[in-house]
Every structure is written in C-alpha cells, then in structure tokens.
C-alpha cells in the first residue's frame, strides 16, 4: 500500500497500533466506543449491553454534530445497524442506497463507488459532521476491479491485489476531500477494523503481527507541528475516542480501557476466541484459555508479571461485560 505509506510519512502516524479483536463488528465497537473485544463473545449482539456503551457518536451528537455511517455492504450484518443507532448515528447508508450497477462486489459496492457516494453526499456540506466510512474491498473473496502488474502471482496475490486497489481508491478519495470547503476544518482518521495474515513465516500463532494495523490521522485540521510525526509507543485502536475528543477539547467519560499515547507503560491487549495477546514496547505474550499455553518474547524476568496483567485485564473485561 505505497500511497498509505506516503500519507503516513507526511501526516500523524502510529507505528505500533494493534486491533482489539479479529472481526469487523468487534473492531467497530473498539474504534467508535473504545471498548475492547471479548475473547468468546461480542457485546454488539446484546442490545441491552451495547446500549450502555459510550461512543464518539454520542459525544458529538450532544455537541450538535450530524452523524452518519457509510458502508457498501449490509449495515444490518452482525447487529451493526442497531449499535450505530444506539450510538446516535441517525443517517446510515448501505448497499440499499446504491444502484444495481454500483453493487460490483459479492458484499455490495466496492471502495471506488463507496467513496464517490460519500463525496456526493458531502459536497458543499456546512455545519459540523462526524462520518464513519467502512470499506469492504479488501475482504474475501478479493474480487476487485483491478489487476496489479507488480505483485508476484503466488497464494497471496488475491489479497494483496485487493489492498493495492483499496490503497489507490483511498488516495483518490483523500485528494478529492482536499477540494471540499469543509476540508480545512476536518480531521480524517484512517484505521483498520482488524488485521489479517499476510503469509509471514516464523511468527507466533495468534501473534501480534496479525493484529498490527495502520492508524494515521490526516486532514486540514491537523496541526502543522504534528505532520510527519511518528508515534513509536504501543497503542490499541481503543484509544481513538479519547484521542479525538481530547484533541477537540470535549469532556468525556467511559473510555478508560487504554493507556494514553505517551504512557511510560503503554500496552495493547487483543482477544481471540480462546485467549488473548498482550504487546508492549519491550515484550509480547499470547495466552490460550483452553490449554493454558503461554508464548512469551521479551525479558524472561517479566514474563510472569505480563501474564498476570493480561489475565487480570481479561477478567476485568469479562466482569464489566457481564454487569452491563
């Protein structure tokens, strides 16, 4: 994704950001509500529980923002629409808003058609708005309207080809945004909902590489002294709500699951169906709840403490989930 790499080098980028889970609906909650993914369930399928979550949408709606969500697929998949409505996002645009010709993917509309729809609906927009755009072109079966000429034709060609297409469409979208009147007052956050295996060898099963994702902040409202800045500290995608609301000087509560960007003991914890992984600047750990196996890389004297902290975080999360 050379264009995303270039954008990241010129804007504010987080070099060690990790997804909280491994599914889109879990990533959506982690990004918009700052709530970590659970190891064997998902809060998004429990309406009474997810209604108690705070989120960027709720906070900005109270400040007079117009909230919208755009997706080329079915917004009702995995209870996403119910979650979004409860988060104060009143305008939800999904595959039903596209013409038959624009539904050129198995799941719905590919990224090019999605971004064109977002641009049409936001042209000349006035007043504050908070818009979330969820792309789908890098999802299986990777049937994008694009063929790379420089990728090797190996087992990973389909996926990586879809990433190149997604990269080009994103870059075109951002260039078009720069021409809009609202751009100079807008922050744009680029983040993945979750990671994906890309064929790296000699990596731990459920290791950090699968959960390592891009997080880049750009847009006309980004301060000049932050452009080109690379944050090296480990962060989780759950940091996004507090990061943005703090930057906008908006008081907020309910986003206490992540350490701050410059916390000296910053970490990211992710969960998969039967365990968790925990990453910091000096170590990496993976623990399986079923067989109690424990993988650790780092200073061996810290291994026991890292395992305990990870177990405590997981238990606290499950307790909080049960109480909601």
């Amino acid at each position: 994704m050379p264009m995303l790499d270039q954008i990241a080098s010129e804007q504010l980028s987080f070099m060690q950001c990790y997804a909280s889970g491994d599914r889109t609906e879990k990533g959506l909650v982690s990004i918009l509500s700052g709530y970590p993914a659970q190891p064997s369930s998902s809060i998004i399928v429990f309406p009474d529980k997810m209604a108690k979550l705070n989120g960027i949408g709720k906070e900005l709606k109270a400040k007079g923002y117009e909230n919208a969500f755009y997706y080329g697929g079915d917004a009702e998949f995995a209870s996403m629409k119910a979650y979004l409505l409860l988060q104060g996002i009143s305008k939800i645009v999904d595959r039903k808003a596209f013409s038959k010709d624009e539904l050129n993917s198995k799941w719905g509309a590919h990224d090019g058609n999605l971004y064109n729809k977002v641009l049409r609906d936001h042209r000349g927009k006035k007043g504050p708005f908070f818009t979330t755009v969820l792309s789908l072109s890098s999802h299986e079966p990777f049937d994008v309207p694009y063929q790379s000429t420089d990728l090797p034709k190996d087992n990973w060609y389909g996926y990586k080809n879809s990433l190149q297409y997604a990269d080009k469409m994103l870059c075109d979208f951002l260039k078009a945004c720069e021409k809009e009147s609202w751009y100079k007052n807008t922050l744009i956050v680029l983040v993945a909902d979750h990671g994906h295996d890309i064929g790296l060898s000699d990596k731990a099963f459920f290791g950090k590489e699968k959960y390592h994702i891009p997080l880049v902040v750009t847009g006309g409202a980004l301060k000049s002294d932050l452009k080109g800045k690379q944050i090296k500290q480990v962060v989780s995608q759950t940091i996004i709500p507090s990061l943005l609301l703090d930057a906008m000087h908006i008081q907020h509560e309910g986003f206490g699951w992540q350490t701050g960007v410059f916390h000296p003991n910053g970490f990211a914890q992710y969960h998969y169906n039967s365990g968790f992984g925990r990453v910091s600047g000096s170590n990496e750990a993976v623990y399986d709840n079923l067989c109690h196996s424990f993988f650790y890389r780092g200073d061996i004297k810290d291994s026991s403490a890292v395992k305990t902290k990870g177990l405590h975080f997981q238990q606290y999360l499950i307790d909080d989930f049960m109480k909601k």
Side-chain angles (χ1 to χ4, degrees):
M1 303 186 76
M3 297 177 186
L4 179 59
D5 283 344
Q6 181 177 346
I7 294 167
S9 69
E10 297 171 350
Q11 306 299 315
L12 175 63
S13 57
F14 294 77
M15 307 305 292
Q16 290 292 324
C17 180
Y18 294 88
S20 183
D22 55 6
R23 292 186 61 86
T24 295
E25 71 273 14
K26 294 185 177 185
L28 194 65
V29 174
S30 296
I31 292 168
L32 298 183
S33 289
Y35 197 76
Q38 298 82 61
S40 58
S41 186
S42 179
I43 196 169
I44 202 171
V45 300
F46 298 93
D48 57 329
K49 294 181 182 294
M50 67 176 173
K52 298 175 183 176
L53 294 174
N54 198 5
I56 306 174
K58 285 184 178 180
E59 294 287 346
L60 294 185
K61 183 178 181 180
K63 297 294 183 180
Y65 278 66
E66 179 185 330
N67 296 337
F69 176 83
Y70 284 75
Y71 177 45
D74 184 1
E76 296 188 30
F77 177 77
S79 300
M80 291 195 300
K81 185 174 182 178
Y83 165 73
L84 294 166
L85 291 172
L86 288 168
Q87 284 295 311
I89 298 175
S90 54
K91 182 178 181 179
I92 299 176
V93 178
D94 67 358
R95 62 177 297 151
K96 293 186 287 294
F98 293 85
S99 68
K100 185 177 180 180
D101 291 340
E102 291 174 315
L103 298 175
N104 55 343
S105 158
K106 173 185 175 181
W107 298 101
H110 270 304
D111 291 1
N113 291 332
L114 172 66
Y115 293 140
N116 286 338
K117 174 68 173 170
V118 175
L119 288 167
R120 288 196 301 268
D121 289 358
H122 288 70
R123 193 143 292 142
K125 202 168 189 62
K126 301 184 184 300
F129 65 87
F130 169 59
T131 298
T132 302
V133 183
L134 175 61
S135 67
L136 55 68
S137 292
S138 58
H139 195 289
E140 292 93 342
F142 315 127
D143 58 343
V144 295
Y146 173 84
Q147 289 292 322
S148 172
T149 58
D150 59 354
L151 287 171
K153 297 297 180 65
D154 57 15
N155 292 336
W156 296 97
Y157 175 82
Y159 177 51
K160 292 182 177 179
N161 180 67
S162 75
L163 292 179
Q164 280 199 355
Y165 168 77
D167 187 49
K168 184 179 185 308
M169 293 301 101
L170 176 63
C171 184
D172 290 348
F173 172 65
L174 293 176
K175 287 180 179 178
C177 287
E178 292 177 7
K179 300 176 182 178
E180 296 295 329
S181 58
W182 43 258
Y183 180 78
K184 63 181 182 297
N185 297 318
T186 302
L187 282 177
I188 301 176
V189 179
L190 311 175
V191 63
D193 51 353
H194 60 81
H196 192 284
D197 186 3
I198 56 172
L200 298 176
S201 59
D202 300 322
K203 304 298 179 184
F205 199 58
F206 292 117
K208 67 179 184 178
E209 288 78 14
K210 181 179 178 181
Y211 295 84
H212 190 191
I213 60 171
L215 172 56
V216 179
V217 182
T218 183
L222 184 67
K223 292 182 177 180
S224 58
D225 61 338
L226 293 176
K227 293 183 178 181
K229 189 176 183 63
Q230 294 185 338
I231 305 297
K232 306 292 186 181
Q233 283 84 350
V234 172
V235 298
S236 167
Q237 67 185 173
T238 57
I239 202 172
I240 292 174
S242 58
L243 182 71
L244 289 181
L245 294 171
D246 282 343
M248 298 167 72
H249 307 292
I250 295 175
Q251 294 294 322
H252 57 276
E253 296 178 354
F255 305 110
W257 290 97
Q258 64 287 309
T259 50
V261 174
F262 299 109
H263 194 286
N265 298 312
F267 73 94
Q269 183 152 325
Y270 56 85
H271 293 90
Y272 58 94
N273 283 345
S274 62
F276 67 83
R278 189 177 177 93
V279 185
S280 75
S282 59
N283 52 58
E284 171 194 2
V286 181
Y287 180 83
D288 192 278
N289 294 324
L290 299 180
C291 62
H292 305 294
S293 62
F294 181 61
F295 165 85
Y296 178 80
R297 181 182 287 126
D299 192 330
I300 193 63
K301 68 178 175 57
D302 298 326
S303 62
S304 179
V306 171
K307 178 181 177 181
T308 299
K309 289 177 181 178
L311 287 168
H312 285 177
F313 184 97
Q314 180 180 238
Q315 188 61 57
Y316 189 84
L317 173 62
I318 293 172
D319 289 345
D320 184 80
F321 170 82
M322 296 299 294
K323 291 174 183 175
K324 286 192 181 299

